[in-house]
Amino acid sequence: RAHCLSQLHARRLIEAGYEGTPVVLPGLYAGSVAPTLAEHVDPTLIVYAGRHVREKRVDSLVRGFAVAHANDPRLRLELYGDGPDRARVETLVGALGLDGAVRHLGRRPEEEVAAAIARAGCLATASEREGYGLVVVEAAAHGTPSVVVAGSENAATELLEDGVNGVVSPDHSAEALGAALARTIAAGPALRESTARWFAKNAPRLTIDASLDVVADTYAAAAAVRSARR
């Protein structure tokens, strides 16, 4: 019996020759439900948290931010994480004249990153490939909407309802990402409230405990079948 964490990989497993019906697990979230109070939110802050590798396209996010920042100079971008692309991204930030608006925080304690996501106007990623997209759920637990990029490799889009808990950029071009960031920030408290409602509605199925229950039920059913055949 096959278990997957996204419809994307369930489809691919079948395409690869799996003859059964893959079970798509509901979620991986194991944190708390704590929407951030409005007075603690920085509506001009955009946060990225993740590896600095080519597939994450942090450079594309920076270019998109540059477009949004040109129209709203109040905006700031905080980049958490590290990786082989970090130096290239730092060089790009300087070349675009964004040193005063973009901060490179590197690797920080999990609690610090979570706090940044909680207070941000939005979480943003231009990632090309995500097997699940847990960070979207982690952000939504705080009422923070997300910006992700549509793509055939990106299962994170399965966790985002455009205009409900964030915005899906149609591609990773600077113009498209800039527009998605601007739209998310402009939506302000209304989108945060919608995001919090989305999480509250979906929280029971998004937890790792719910997924473990599904796995346990699957094996219990299989054991029952084997027992009946004896």
Side-chain angles (χ1 to χ4, degrees):
R1 281 164 172 71
H3 296 83
C4 301
L5 284 165
S6 68
Q7 295 291 344
L8 169 64
H9 289 101
R11 290 193 301 270
R12 290 192 168 176
L13 193 59
I14 292 173
E15 290 167 1
Y18 181 69
E19 296 180 352
T21 301
V23 177
V24 179
L25 299 176
L28 287 174
Y29 187 65
S32 61
V33 181
T36 306
L37 296 176
E39 57 266 31
H40 296 155
V41 174
D42 182 347
T44 66
L45 176 62
I46 298 167
V47 167
Y48 166 81
R51 293 175 297 147
H52 285 50
V53 294
R54 291 297 176 103
E55 68 191 56
K56 296 296 184 180
R57 298 190 297 208
V58 184
D59 55 339
S60 293
L61 177 59
V62 168
R63 290 188 177 92
F65 172 77
V67 172
H69 183 264
N71 293 317
D72 186 351
R74 301 174 305 153
L75 297 182
R76 295 176 297 109
L77 174 63
E78 291 185 352
L79 302 172
Y80 291 85
D82 206 346
D85 254 18
R86 179 173 174 177
R88 189 167 67 89
V89 171
E90 290 177 342
T91 298
L92 175 63
V93 168
L96 293 174
L98 294 172
D99 288 315
V102 179
R103 295 180 66 199
H104 305 269
L105 282 303
R107 293 178 181 174
R108 295 297 178 104
E110 183 177 340
E111 297 78 10
E112 183 178 338
V113 178
I117 293 173
R119 72 172 184 271
C122 78
L123 171 83
T125 172
S127 182
E128 174 185 6
R129 183 169 66 247
E130 294 290 341
Y132 176 65
L134 179 60
V135 71
V136 172
V137 179
E138 292 172 334
H142 297 289
T144 303
S146 296
V147 171
V148 301
V149 176
S152 60
E153 301 280 343
N154 191 3
T157 57
E158 296 177 21
L159 296 168
L160 202 146
E161 296 181 42
D162 192 271
V164 176
N165 63 324
V167 172
V168 178
S169 175
D171 58 60
H172 71 286
S173 67
E175 294 74 18
L177 266 169
L181 292 170
R183 178 182 161 201
T184 305
I185 292 297
L191 185 55
R192 290 194 68 90
E193 292 169 5
S194 176
T195 299
R197 288 195 300 271
W198 176 90
F199 182 82
K201 176 182 176 182
N202 292 282
R205 72 172 181 86
L206 292 171
T207 65
I208 193 168
D209 286 342
S211 290
L212 292 173
D213 287 342
V214 171
V215 174
D217 290 346
T218 300
Y219 280 97
V225 171
R226 285 197 300 270
S227 179
R229 288 173 178 171
R230 290 173 182 168

